[in-house]
Amino acid sequence: MSLFNQQGFLRLPWQGKSFANGIHPEDHKELTEHKPIRRMPFSNKIIVPLSQSIGAPAKPIVSKGQDVVRGEPIAEAGGFVSAPIHAPVTGTIAGVDELVSMPNGSKTPAILIDTWPSSDQTVRYLQPRDTKVMSADDLVKAVQDAGVVGLGGAAFPTHVKMKAPKGKTITTLVANGCECEPYLTCDHRTMLEYTDNLLKGLQLAMVISGAEKAIIGIEDNKMDAVEKIRETINAQGLTHIICEAVPTCYPQGAEKMLLKSLLGLEVPAGGIPADIGCAVFNVGTLAQIGELVPEGRGLIERIVTVSGPGVSKPGNYIIPLGTPLSFVLEQVGAIDNPGMIILGGPMMGTSIATRDIATTKGITGILVFPPEQLPSSHEAEMPCIGCRTCVEACPMYLNPSMLGKLADVSRHQEMMDDFHLMNCFECGCCSNSCPANIPLTQKIRVAKQSIRQKARSAG
């Protein structure tokens, strides 16, 4: 029997299996997974941070007092690893380079816009393209011009990873539809409601990357999305794209875990998917590419899951980028004095201390918890009892217990040299499973930041 099926995919004996270890937290997706995506009203004030992606901040190209239309470029990319920014609303520029708060507590320059209350907020800045006649290089430029970044939370400029690095070849493109974080369902609803855009974006990404085949991986707790995508693939005759269900297990959505589950391939330590001939993109990112590139317009809004026990109207909302968090929380009926607000999911998201921030391209979710219903244990940290629960949970086969002990005495270099610190992608499995309530992920994160800071200082 041939090792390949009709689509050119390996017939792998491990198909349907998953990676080793991981955990199974309660997903709480029932709050939003069956609700159609809705559009959030426009705030009368928009705050657009110039740092909305990994890489160089965007550079303003507008001035205070200038009128802009929705979709118009207002900041250009600050380099190749950067993304331009477009006006999320039609309005008047109220400030440029104004310092605003970010989720991590830092300050960054931003463009402020006063929304025109009389505008219908139609996108008026369009440059339609015929993508069928565009070269791979032209498409890469179009993706960058659209300001698309990874919408799964990483916010890495998408155009940078679309073409294989020098000396490498992309043969298989993987669309990541796992969305394994509890509460989050924005990707799930995107796959159900924007299936055509997803497949258009996937095909454009294949042209750019040179991949001959593509596979969409979705956790098996979203079989309605699997079935919808398979039906559309068959109806459109897309013979080199397949959709596969993988077992529900956190962190199945991590690209290394997904590649192991789908293809049985392992990314080498310190490597990237291109090292094994693959490129991985979030389904929400691909759906935006499929919509924005042909229309010739920029990324000005995104779908965000707003949920949690502290929200009376949970759902997935299309939110203009730059919408103040306070406005979002008011619209969804969030409680006045939450115990915790998390941007992203409860496992890898960021807990914030202020509402004085704005939505950005990298925010996948906004979760609100009352003081009595916090998502994780806040009991006192106790000594490690050597139970190995964290070791058995770690999908990267690390020893989180030892890493935590070394972090306590600032032996960061030893953590990296002898215990593979940098292989940790901070999924939170160890902290979530620790019976001693040791914040292992936080200790590891601080150690990695220290190592990087020393490297920058030495360089």
Side-chain angles (χ1 to χ4, degrees):
M1 182 178 69
S2 171
L3 290 177
F4 296 86
N5 63 20
Q6 292 180 350
Q7 288 88 4
F9 293 92
L10 282 169
R11 296 184 185 275
L12 300 177
W14 51 80
Q15 185 175 355
K17 296 185 179 180
S18 188
F19 58 93
N21 299 351
I23 59 176
H24 294 84
E26 293 186 37
D27 64 26
H28 300 287
K29 294 179 184 289
E30 72 281 353
L31 295 171
T32 57
E33 64 184 343
H34 300 300
K35 295 182 177 180
I37 297 168
R38 291 173 283 176
R39 179 172 292 280
M40 186 160 285
F42 292 88
S43 170
N44 59 4
K45 298 284 186 181
I46 294 292
I47 305 166
V48 187
L50 294 174
S51 295
Q52 293 200 45
S53 66
I54 295 175
K59 299 178 180 179
I61 55 173
V62 291
S63 56
K64 186 176 181 178
Q66 178 179 338
D67 295 335
V68 293
V69 297
R70 191 162 187 248
E72 180 179 347
I74 57 175
E76 63 185 6
F80 182 65
V81 186
S82 182
I85 295 173
H86 304 75
V89 296
T90 294
T92 301
I93 303 297
V96 178
D97 283 333
E98 302 282 347
L99 288 179
V100 299
S101 297
M102 294 294 282
N104 62 5
S106 65
K107 297 283 187 177
T108 191
I111 296 173
L112 311 183
I113 306 176
D114 289 334
T115 306
W116 287 2
S118 59
S119 173
D120 62 3
Q121 296 302 334
T122 299
V123 178
R124 303 191 185 282
Y125 196 93
L126 299 168
Q127 296 177 320
R129 306 180 178 96
D130 182 359
T131 56
K132 294 179 181 179
V133 301
M134 295 175 67
S135 67
D137 289 339
D138 290 338
L139 288 171
V140 169
K141 183 64 165 55
V143 171
Q144 182 178 25
D145 289 345
V148 179
V149 304
L151 299 183
F156 189 80
T158 301
H159 65 279
V160 177
K161 60 185 277 190
M162 295 198 87
K163 297 196 75 172
K166 188 175 181 180
K168 302 184 187 301
T169 301
I170 302 298
T171 60
T172 305
L173 196 146
V174 175
N176 187 346
C178 287
E179 196 169 43
C180 57
E181 276 268 15
Y183 288 98
L184 301 188
T185 59
C186 54
D187 286 348
H188 185 182
R189 295 308 310 179
T190 294
M191 291 186 286
L192 288 172
E193 300 185 45
Y194 296 95
T195 314
D196 286 341
N197 286 342
L198 165 59
L199 293 175
K200 287 177 185 176
L202 184 54
Q203 292 174 85
L204 291 175
M206 291 177 70
V207 172
I208 293 172
S209 65
E212 299 175 352
K213 50 190 179 291
I215 181 169
I216 304 169
I218 305 173
E219 282 193 318
D220 59 12
N221 61 354
K222 308 174 187 66
M223 289 307 297
D224 53 349
V226 173
E227 293 165 3
K228 175 71 180 297
I229 291 173
R230 284 176 175 171
E231 289 174 2
T232 308
I233 287 173
N234 291 334
Q236 296 182 9
L238 304 177
T239 58
H240 287 81
I241 300 176
I242 62 173
C243 181
E244 292 293 336
V246 293
T248 298
C249 179
Y250 181 87
Q252 187 72 263
E255 62 181 18
K256 290 185 178 182
M257 306 299 102
L258 184 56
L259 290 170
K260 175 67 173 178
S261 296
L262 283 175
L263 303 172
L265 301 175
E266 292 190 19
V267 178
I272 60 176
D275 293 329
I276 56 173
C278 299
V280 184
F281 298 95
N282 168 263
V283 291
T285 306
L286 293 171
Q288 286 286 1
I289 290 172
E291 179 179 3
L292 300 180
V293 170
E295 293 184 355
R297 62 183 179 91
L299 180 62
I300 56 176
E301 59 192 15
R302 67 156 297 156
I303 301 168
V304 180
T305 300
V306 188
S307 188
V311 172
S312 63
K313 294 182 283 187
N316 287 290
Y317 295 88
I318 298 174
I319 302 179
L321 301 174
T323 300
L325 179 62
S326 57
F327 180 84
V328 173
L329 296 178
E330 178 184 344
Q331 295 298 312
V332 299
I335 59 176
D336 291 332
N337 297 300
M340 183 178 291
I341 299 175
I342 295 177
L343 301 184
M347 299 298 295
M348 296 184 70
T350 301
S351 175
I352 58 172
T354 176
R355 301 185 185 201
D356 296 328
I357 60 174
T359 55
T360 60
K361 297 178 181 181
I363 293 178
T364 56
I366 301 171
L367 309 180
V368 183
F369 298 90
E372 68 277 7
Q373 289 180 267
L374 297 182
S376 59
S377 173
H378 284 259
E379 298 176 9
E381 178 181 341
M382 295 179 288
C384 174
I385 60 174
C387 67
R388 293 181 52 86
T389 302
C390 62
V391 176
E392 293 171 358
C394 179
M396 295 302 293
Y397 308 104
L398 303 179
N399 187 336
S401 173
M402 181 58 71
L403 288 169
K405 292 174 181 177
L406 292 172
D408 285 339
V409 291
S410 299
R411 289 161 64 177
H412 299 158
Q413 194 64 41
E414 186 176 346
M415 293 170 69
M416 185 171 71
D417 293 343
D418 298 338
F419 293 93
H420 311 286
L421 169 68
M422 305 312 285
N423 282 0
C424 171
F425 58 89
E426 302 168 28
C427 67
C429 285
C430 54
S431 296
N432 185 273
S433 61
C434 178
N437 303 312
I438 301 173
L440 294 166
T441 305
Q442 180 62 24
K443 294 175 187 284
I444 290 170
R445 182 177 294 127
V446 171
K448 290 170 68 176
Q449 290 172 346
S450 174
I451 291 288
R452 292 183 181 120
Q453 182 59 47
K454 288 181 180 179
R456 285 192 292 266
S457 299

